[in-house]
Amino acid sequence: MVEIVRNSETDPCEDLLDGLRRGRPAAGQDPVKRSQIIDGARRVFIEKGFEAASMNDITREAGVSKGTIYVYFANKEELFEALIEEERGTIFKNMYDMLDRADDLRQTLVKFGKVLSMKITSARVIQAQRTVIGASDRIPDMGARFYERGPKRGHDKVVTFLNAAIERGLLEIDDVDLAAYQFTELCLAGLFRQCIFAYRTKAPTQDEIDHIVRSGVNMFLKAYGTERLAEEESHEMIAIEAKS
Amino acid sequence: MVEIVRNSETDPCEDLLDGLRRGRPAAGQDPVKRSQIIDGARRVFIEKGFEAASMNDITREAGVSKGTIYVYFANKEELFEALIEEERGTIFKNMYDMLDRADDLRQTLVKFGKVLSMKITSARVIQAQRTVIGASDRIPDMGARFYERGPKRGHDKVVTFLNAAIERGLLEIDDVDLAAYQFTELCLAGLFRQCIFAYRTKAPTQDEIDHIVRSGVNMFLKAYGTERLAEEESHEMIAIEAKS
Amino acid sequence: MVEIVRNSETDPCEDLLDGLRRGRPAAGQDPVKRSQIIDGARRVFIEKGFEAASMNDITREAGVSKGTIYVYFANKEELFEALIEEERGTIFKNMYDMLDRADDLRQTLVKFGKVLSMKITSARVIQAQRTVIGASDRIPDMGARFYERGPKRGHDKVVTFLNAAIERGLLEIDDVDLAAYQFTELCLAGLFRQCIFAYRTKAPTQDEIDHIVRSGVNMFLKAYGTERLAEEESHEMIAIEAKS
Amino acid sequence: MVEIVRNSETDPCEDLLDGLRRGRPAAGQDPVKRSQIIDGARRVFIEKGFEAASMNDITREAGVSKGTIYVYFANKEELFEALIEEERGTIFKNMYDMLDRADDLRQTLVKFGKVLSMKITSARVIQAQRTVIGASDRIPDMGARFYERGPKRGHDKVVTFLNAAIERGLLEIDDVDLAAYQFTELCLAGLFRQCIFAYRTKAPTQDEIDHIVRSGVNMFLKAYGTERLAEEESHEMIAIEAKS
DNA sequence: TATGAATGAGAATTCATTCAT
DNA sequence: GATGAATGAATTCTCATTCAT
């Protein structure tokens, strides 16, 4: 609005103004500020849920002004969606790495099952899932998008993994897709619904998870394991025994 | 309280007394009106979730005045809780009847599994569960109460059923509690989370459920079934073949 | 609506109906019920003030139905006015009797002053006055009417009394009207405002009132008493001394 | 706090810094807006009383939005209390200044009595007192607080003043506290209750007050004045006569 | 005539969003 | 570009009054 022509050499305000101007990203483009907002939003949304979280709370928590938030996110819903997107990324990041190594089948399943079960039932992730579920009435497709890009992708990786094991002759599975679901469910047996309904107020212990996953993997392999698997496992047993 | 036996044909006081007795139900006591309110509330809460549902919406949907709602329910939360309580009753009513009949084990498991899976994943029940989960931030213990009086009780019945089968020598189970969870999860394999996150927008088909439950029961029996079970099943097979 | 033809000789409902019908006053005419309503209203209005008192409270307290109240009183305000009218009657009833007896002047003033002071500062009367004052924004003229028919009438009686004393040569007063006010104020010195603003939460004690009234009467007689009064008083002193 | 002396003619940073320094006052900190709200509130509360005044009315009258009011005052009660506090300050400000000058006693009492009587019975102050009294049912201690910080403090100043006069040998008073109340009441004789009950709809005239106060002071001095006072007053009379 | 369930306008308060600074 | 004070629509809940029974 006001065009100020100044001689930058002599202007005593130079430094100050420069600092403000230099390298300032375009509106809504500064990734640091964006993170700052999302971090504040996370704390508030996760604690209070979508509706009960107020933009003022987020403002305070994020340490930015309300106006700024509205530069980065069109409204509360968009902010929430962005947060969930990020959260999803964090949750499922690395969760399936284990499946890439072609290790001993049983052990891989157990290890992966534990990671999966622990992540999905961790306080933070449960809270996030609850918030997504609660908000999906308001923001249609939000839950679907979350599932598709999170659990669904994971599921696909499990399918791939199982197919590889089938290829190796270790498993014999009629409906691989279903088997993948079965495996996941067995690893979470009793836990997911208890956590999501807040019947359990604390995440399951390591021991609980160990017990559940081990039992689930047994069941799974009893159902789908081949002769070959049995042999391999006995070899390994021997190997392990030999080691000890 | 007072049982009055009257010959309604001849009693000229009939109308007067009748008026006093039947009359209008006491404030907040008319079950018809109560139902009317709850029905309206159900439609609104289920559609919008707890927070987004406004008492005005419910007023409109229920066709009663705002004041009347507040005669029947102290506030929005109590109305919601009453609705959820009712819903829970409806959902889990009769769901476990199948387990009371000591029928052929595999068939019972299959039948029960189908009912369970169908109920839990029906559009209405999923919506209700979503609403409960979403409201738990606001109304602590609401989710826990729902789980405890619903799924938890059902789980206990499954445990009892499995114990009976163990008694009969049909199953051999190390951790019955876990096994009960496993069974339930297998019947819902892949379905529950897909539904609750609205990834699936429609309830699974009968065929899908059949396939999943059958596969789950197979897995379960492969893991926990005894020799004796196998024998019994083959007898039954023969019986069934004889029939056809 | 329904015309019921009955043979009153043989009708077993006769007594019951008769009891209901016999001597029933016209709508809104039964003085007993009216009292019952006003009594309930008094308790509620005095305790909560005009606005905070709800018709439901009054209904409960009075033990009559809401409809009935509206038969006797057109609305909340009218009920309140009727109550105040009655209350006023009770408060000022007999308060000025003392002034009718032509007794010893000083003693009469002291006795009357005590009664006046005690009544006006009693918890109930203060509460009533507060309620009237608070409601006068809502109901114009209500306070004026209360004052006119209560304190004002009392004031007139004091004026009459003082005039009689002047006649008897006991007082010499320039402005009798003002003197009457002065007397009243002196008897309440410091009390009225303290009570009405709830700075004092309890009514003054008998001793306090004695002290204040005695001091006020002294002041009053020093200002307006004649030689003749002094003589009469000394006579009386002698009489009293003789008695003892 | 920090006094910055700058030559605004030449400083190119002027606009920027100015904007930062003056800027907009912090939320709920702008005294102008606060006054605006209180002024609107005063009009509404005084006219309608606490309960009958709606926040919407105040919003309209003050010309600010509802939200803004709630930034400055937590709720209706706090707004009302702030208003009363301010009003109290205004009312009693300077009222007792007269007592600080050690002037001729009778004249000082008359002058002070007039100011007191005029203030307390002015339309605005009566309205304020009525509002406080009416609200005390809702906000306990509000009336007490008003009395304590207003009339009570004034009373204390009168006591101090009387004690000084006693010291000077001009008055002889048994119970100074009571005497102070008596003096105040005499100055308001007949007025306060008439005004507070709205029996009088207009404030008393100057002449009325003159008459009442003069009479009251006479009475007071007849009761408590010493020989010495009489002498001084006659001296003064002479002085005054000499002047004329 | 008496009843009290039902009504619905209106209360206080909150909070996502805007826009002047 | 950033700020945060101001906005006012929308929320939950109350209660004087009505009117079918």
Side-chain angles (χ1 to χ4, degrees), chain A residues 6 11-13 16-17 20, chain D residues 11-17 20:
Chain A
R6 291 172 303 105
D11 189 341
C13 287
L16 176 63
L17 287 171
L20 290 172
Chain D
D11 191 343
C13 286
E14 179 66 357
D15 291 346
L16 178 62
L17 286 172
L20 290 172

Side-chain angles (χ1 to χ4, degrees), chain A residues 107 235-244:
Chain A
Q107 276 204 18
H235 292 162
E236 195 173 350
M237 289 303 204
I238 293 161
I240 291 168
E241 277 167 16
K243 270 187 194 168
S244 60

Side-chain angles (χ1 to χ4, degrees), chain A residues 62-230:
Chain A
V64 299
S65 79
K66 241 179 286 186
T68 303
I69 293 183
Y70 279 89
V71 167
Y72 283 77
F73 304 96
N75 51 39
K76 196 181 174 185
E77 294 194 354
E78 264 192 27
L79 170 56
F80 182 66
E81 289 203 87
L83 159 65
I84 288 306
E85 201 66 357
E86 225 204 51
E87 201 66 355
R88 190 184 46 65
T90 311
I91 294 168
F92 294 99
K93 183 112 194 152
N94 305 327
M95 191 149 126
Y96 303 93
D97 291 357
M98 213 133 279
L99 299 179
D100 293 339
R101 282 173 265 153
D103 219 345
D104 165 66
L105 180 63
R106 176 181 294 266
Q107 276 204 18
T108 303
L109 287 177
V110 168
K111 276 187 198 164
F112 168 67
K114 284 184 193 174
V115 170
L116 173 92
S117 190
M118 189 129 35
K119 269 254 178 156
I120 300 294
T121 62
S122 72
R124 173 173 171 171
V125 176
I126 282 294
Q127 198 40 285
Q129 290 180 94
R130 244 186 246 143
T131 312
V132 171
I133 291 167
S136 38
D137 296 313
R138 255 309 185 73
I139 310 172
D141 298 342
M142 136 104 55
R145 215 150 41 234
F146 176 86
Y147 182 85
E148 191 167 19
R149 299 183 188 169
K152 182 59 166 58
R153 283 196 192 158
H155 168 76
D156 292 344
K157 289 190 176 162
V158 176
V159 167
T160 305
F161 175 81
L162 293 182
N163 276 325
I166 292 167
E167 208 98 320
R168 284 164 59 200
L170 302 175
L171 295 176
E172 198 166 69
I173 302 177
D174 183 35
D175 180 340
V176 183
D177 195 61
L178 175 56
Y181 284 126
Q182 287 170 331
F183 176 72
T184 309
E185 305 287 12
L186 286 173
C187 292
L188 289 166
L191 297 180
F192 183 68
R193 285 205 293 167
Q194 283 180 16
C195 290
I196 210 80
F197 282 114
Y199 177 67
R200 251 175 209 271
T201 50
K202 283 174 186 167
T205 65
Q206 184 67 56
D207 284 356
E208 265 182 299
I209 287 177
D210 276 15
H211 178 60
I212 291 166
V213 169
R214 221 163 273 282
S215 173
V217 170
N218 273 337
M219 207 167 179
F220 188 80
L221 291 181
K222 234 181 221 166
Y224 296 122
T226 56
E227 296 260 320
R228 177 112 191 262
L229 173 70

Side-chain angles (χ1 to χ4, degrees), chain A residues 8-71:
Chain A
S8 62
E9 297 294 298
T10 59
D11 189 341
C13 287
E14 180 64 357
D15 291 347
L16 176 63
L17 287 171
D18 226 11
L20 290 172
R21 225 176 327 94
R22 176 159 33 233
R24 181 199 267 170
Q29 297 305 315
D30 183 346
V32 175
K33 191 143 281 188
R34 205 188 124 97
S35 276
Q36 196 182 337
I37 294 169
I38 292 228
D39 284 351
R42 173 170 18 253
R43 288 193 288 277
V44 179
F45 277 131
I46 293 290
E47 197 207 339
K48 304 195 166 186
F50 178 76
E51 310 268 359
S54 87
M55 291 302 266
N56 261 336
D57 295 340
I58 294 168
T59 276
R60 203 179 310 115
E61 201 67 33
V64 299
S65 79
K66 241 179 286 186
T68 303
I69 293 183
Y70 279 89
V71 167

